[in-house]
Amino acid sequence: MNYQHNLKINKYYQLGIFTLFILSPILSLVFIIDGMRKNMRYAYSMFALFISLVAFMLAPTSDLASHNYLYYEYQNLSWNTFVNYRMVGSDYVMQYIEWIFANCGIPFEFIRLLQTLIAFFLLNSIFFYKINNSSLCYSSAEVFGRYLCYILVFPFILMVGGVRFGFGVVIMLYGFHQYIDREKRIIGIILLIFASLVHFSLLYYSLFSFIILHLDIRRNQALVLALIMFILSIPLQATMEEYLLQNELRGAGYLGDGIWGRQVGMSLKINAIVYHWGQRVFLLPLLFLLFCKYNHHDKWSRLGLSYILFFTCIYSAFALAQRTTVCFMTCSIFLVLSIENSIREKIAISTRRVIIICSVLICCFDIWTHREQILLSRYWRLAQPSVITLTQEYDKSWLLQHAYERR
C-alpha cells in the first residue's frame, strides 16, 4: 500500500517538475536539485535537460562562432558541393550534422542542445551504473555529493564551446565504459572509432589509453614511466611531429611550434597562464588519491593513469595539455567510484572535503576565464517559458558584431 502511495506521489512530482520546467526552467531548478538530493533518477534526467538548455543559450564566441559561421555557409549548399569542396579532414561527423541542420532550417543552437543532452545522458548512464554495481552502499546524500563535485569539475563550457572535442571525449569514455564495465568489446571499440570521427585527436588518446589498459603497470613502475616520459617529452614530441609530417597525417601543429602548439601558450596573457596551470593544481588531490589507492587490477585506474602519462609527454604543448586535462576531468568521478569499489571502502571524509573545496575552486576558475562569453549569453531568458526560450537565436548579424574575427 505504501509502495503504491509513494509511486503515485513520485508520478505527481515528476509531472510537477516537468510542468514547472515548461513554465520557467530556472524556477524548476530548485525542485530538480531537491529531487537529486533525494536520489530521484528522474530529477537527474531533468537536470540533463536543464543543462542542455544552458548550452543552448551559450553565446557563440571562439570555436563555437567558427562552427556557427560554417553553419551559415552550408545553407543552400548542395550535397555534392559540400562533400567535394567544403568538407575537410577525417573528423567529419560534426560537419555532416551542421550541413543537415543548415539545410533543414534547424537553428544552429539546437545542435549543442542535442549534443549536450546526449552527452549528459551518457555520463549519467556511466555514473549510475557504477553506483548500482558498486560493492559499497551509497546514501542519497553521498550520491548527490559525488555528482555535485563532478558537475563543478566538468569542463562544461569547453565541451559546448569546442563543439567537437568535448563531445568526442564523452563518446570515448562511454566506449571505454562499454569495453571495461559491461564487457561489450565490439560496441566499445566501435564507439572509440566513432569518437575519433568526431575529433581526429581522440584516435591518439584512444590508442594510447587502450595500450595502457592492457598493460599490468604497478604503482612504482608507473612513477618511473612518468618520470622517463617527462624527461623525454620534448624529443618525443619532435619525433612524433616529424612522423606526422612525413606521413602527411594531421596533428603536427599541435605538437610543434605551430599556432596550436607552444605558440598558443606563449601568446597568452598572464591571467590565462594562471588559469591554465592553476586549474591543474587543484586536481592534485585527485592525483594524490590515485597514487595512494592505485590498484593495477582496476582498469579505470589504468585509464586515469594513461591520461597522466600522456600529460607528462605533452605538457609543453599548450593545446594538447589542455585537452588531456579535459579527458582526465571528464572521467574524474568514474575514477573515484572505481577506486572506492576496488578498495571496498569510501574515501576519508577529510579527503572528500579537500576534493569539494578544490572542485568549487576549479569551477570558479572556469567561470572567471569564460566570464565574457557568459555575460554575452542571454541567460535571463531561462526565466521565461521554455517554448519562448527555444525561439531565441544568435543570428549572423550578432556573430558579425561580437565574433567577427572568427569569420
Side-chain angles (χ1 to χ4, degrees):
M1 188 69 178
N2 287 333
Y3 173 77
Q4 294 293 334
H5 179 68
N6 291 335
L7 190 63
K8 189 174 183 180
I9 291 175
N10 194 32
K11 287 183 178 179
Y12 284 133
Y13 183 84
Q14 292 177 10
L15 181 61
I17 287 182
F18 186 76
T19 303
L20 191 56
F21 181 84
I22 296 296
L23 295 175
S24 177
I26 197 67
L27 289 179
S28 70
L29 183 61
V30 177
F31 296 94
I32 290 172
I33 293 174
D34 181 62
M36 292 166 67
R37 189 178 59 82
K38 295 174 180 176
N39 203 22
M40 294 183 175
R41 301 298 166 86
Y42 177 78
Y44 284 92
S45 298
M46 286 302 300
F47 180 77
L49 189 59
F50 176 84
I51 207 74
S52 301
L53 202 57
V54 172
F56 180 90
M57 300 299 300
L58 185 67
T61 61
S62 191
D63 282 356
L64 191 56
S66 300
H67 282 271
N68 210 336
Y69 277 120
L70 284 175
Y71 167 85
Y72 285 115
E73 288 181 18
Y74 292 157
Q75 286 181 338
N76 301 318
L77 195 69
S78 70
W79 174 253
N80 289 334
T81 305
F82 167 68
V83 171
N84 295 321
Y85 300 103
R86 294 297 300 161
M87 195 169 65
V88 294
S90 57
D91 43 0
Y92 47 77
V93 170
M94 292 310 300
Q95 296 179 66
Y96 277 146
I97 293 172
E98 287 165 6
W99 181 87
I100 291 170
F101 273 63
N103 285 275
C104 290
I106 305 171
F108 178 75
E109 286 75 12
F110 279 93
I111 294 178
R112 57 182 181 269
L113 183 143
L114 291 174
Q115 185 184 54
T116 308
L117 188 62
I118 292 169
F120 270 84
F121 269 108
L122 294 180
L123 293 171
N124 285 354
S125 175
I126 304 173
F127 178 79
F128 286 111
Y129 179 90
K130 299 194 80 63
I131 290 289
N132 295 336
N133 292 276
S134 176
S135 59
L136 303 173
C137 184
Y138 294 97
S139 67
S140 297
E142 288 173 331
V143 172
F144 177 67
R146 282 157 176 74
Y147 191 85
L148 180 61
C149 283
Y150 182 56
I151 294 301
L152 292 172
V153 169
F154 184 77
F156 173 74
I157 296 177
L158 284 174
M159 186 199 80
V160 178
V163 181
R164 296 175 301 153
F165 185 79
F167 182 64
V169 168
V170 174
I171 301 294
M172 179 182 71
L173 287 178
Y174 192 72
F176 278 121
H177 164 65
Q178 292 289 331
Y179 190 88
I180 297 170
D181 297 326
R182 298 182 183 270
E183 298 183 348
K184 296 179 179 179
R185 312 295 193 200
I186 296 176
I187 293 176
I189 292 171
I190 290 172
L191 286 169
L192 294 180
I193 295 170
F194 182 76
S196 68
L197 297 177
V198 174
H199 196 285
F200 79 97
S201 67
L202 292 173
L203 174 63
Y204 303 111
Y205 282 100
S206 297
L207 284 174
F208 186 77
S209 297
F210 196 81
I211 292 169
I212 298 297
L213 204 64
H214 290 86
L215 295 178
D216 187 13
I217 302 175
R218 299 172 187 273
R219 182 163 54 187
N220 292 336
Q221 294 171 332
L223 283 173
V224 173
L225 188 58
L227 181 61
I228 293 172
M229 293 178 80
F230 179 80
I231 295 170
L232 299 177
S233 61
I234 302 301
L236 283 172
Q237 286 183 46
T239 303
M240 189 64 181
E241 180 189 7
E242 183 181 1
Y243 174 79
L244 293 173
L245 287 171
Q246 288 179 351
N247 293 275
E248 298 182 354
L249 298 172
R250 294 180 68 191
Y254 288 91
L255 294 170
D257 291 319
I259 188 63
W260 294 113
R262 283 180 282 278
Q263 285 184 10
V264 171
M266 292 167 63
S267 64
L268 291 175
K269 297 179 181 178
I270 187 65
N271 57 345
I273 297 297
V274 170
Y275 159 75
H276 176 68
W277 288 108
Q279 195 179 44
R280 283 148 185 78
V281 168
F282 293 122
L283 286 171
L284 287 177
L286 185 58
L287 293 175
F288 181 74
L289 177 67
L290 177 61
F291 172 76
C292 293
K293 306 295 184 182
Y294 179 75
N295 181 356
H296 63 96
H297 295 298
D298 178 34
K299 291 190 175 181
W300 276 95
S301 293
R302 293 187 200 175
L303 185 63
L305 175 64
S306 72
Y307 299 133
I308 295 170
L309 293 175
F310 201 89
F311 184 85
T312 59
C313 246
I314 46 77
Y315 67 93
S316 62
F318 178 83
L320 281 180
Q322 184 188 45
R323 289 179 174 182
T324 307
T325 308
V326 168
C327 292
F328 187 74
M329 293 165 73
T330 307
C331 78
S332 58
I333 188 61
F334 313 131
L335 186 58
V336 170
L337 292 172
S338 202
I339 288 172
E340 289 183 325
N341 184 52
S342 66
I343 63 176
R344 297 184 182 278
E345 64 178 18
K346 298 169 187 175
I347 57 177
I349 295 176
S350 57
T351 306
R352 271 183 267 171
R353 287 172 180 169
V354 172
I355 290 176
I356 290 170
I357 293 170
C358 289
S359 299
V360 172
L361 291 172
I362 288 173
C363 184
C364 291
F365 261 95
D366 210 27
I367 292 172
W368 177 254
T369 303
H370 299 97
R371 63 191 181 281
E372 293 181 4
Q373 187 176 12
I374 293 171
L375 290 172
L376 281 173
S377 304
R378 300 164 182 164
Y379 282 132
W380 56 272
R381 286 182 175 268
L382 291 172
Q384 297 179 325
S386 298
V387 177
I388 297 176
T389 304
L390 290 171
T391 60
Q392 82 91 36
E393 181 181 0
Y394 295 100
D395 56 21
K396 197 168 185 178
S397 61
W398 188 98
L399 282 172
L400 292 170
Q401 183 181 352
H402 295 93
Y404 183 80
E405 73 283 356
R406 304 296 298 197
R407 189 177 180 184

